[in-house]
Amino acid sequence: MPVARAAMIADLPRARALFAAQDRAGLLAEYSKMFTDQRDKYGVDQAQFHSLPATSFLRLQAPEDFGDDLSKFRPMVVAVNRDQVSRKGFAIGRSGPAIFGVVPMFDPQDKHIGSFEVGYRLR
């Protein structure tokens, strides 16, 4: 399920355009309510945009915390951005173990620009 939720956002024309423009404030304004609703109603804990090769661009759950290199502890993000193929599974995130869905993102001209993920912490 997390990969399906991630793909729905990653495929939206507005998400693609804002991410391609590196518009963090625009992405936050556009998708923060969606994230809050998903968290409150369905238990989604994390939603994050990643710049290439594996850098945190925007964590919807913690927008002030970005710019860190995820490549040393998030191999799924690295693999998605390397292979441009969606992946889902268990991983250890900053907040602990979780189930993630990570999908590649493309700009409006279909150039690969990074990835987006949705995660559920294991409780």
Side-chain angles (χ1 to χ4, degrees):
M1 191 164 27
V3 77
R5 279 196 164 102
M8 285 190 286
I9 299 303
D11 290 340
L12 291 172
R14 185 83 173 132
R16 292 172 62 162
L18 289 167
F19 192 35
Q22 297 289 282
D23 186 348
R24 185 177 290 107
L27 285 167
L28 184 61
E30 191 78 19
Y31 298 108
S32 62
K33 182 181 180 329
M34 173 275 309
F35 172 73
T36 301
D37 289 347
Q38 290 288 305
R39 183 193 63 211
D40 294 349
K41 292 177 184 176
Y42 306 109
V44 172
D45 292 299
Q46 302 168 54
Q48 181 173 191
F49 292 88
H50 317 110
S51 298
L52 296 173
T55 301
S56 174
F57 181 75
L58 173 64
R59 288 178 172 93
L60 289 171
Q61 73 278 8
E64 67 288 343
D65 189 11
F66 61 90
D68 48 316
D69 179 4
L70 307 173
S71 62
K72 295 200 179 3
F73 63 97
R74 294 298 310 282
M76 191 182 315
V77 173
V78 173
V80 167
N81 283 325
R82 179 190 61 229
D83 304 335
Q84 298 178 33
V85 174
S86 299
R87 296 182 193 270
K88 60 184 174 183
F90 173 81
I92 305 295
R94 290 172 50 137
S95 61
I99 304 286
F100 289 98
V102 185
V103 299
M105 284 198 68
F106 301 89
D107 72 8
Q109 292 74 42
D110 291 325
K111 177 184 174 204
H112 180 229
I113 55 172
S115 54
F116 180 70
E117 75 178 345
V118 169
Y120 298 85
R121 264 185 296 158
L122 300 176
R123 300 179 208 282

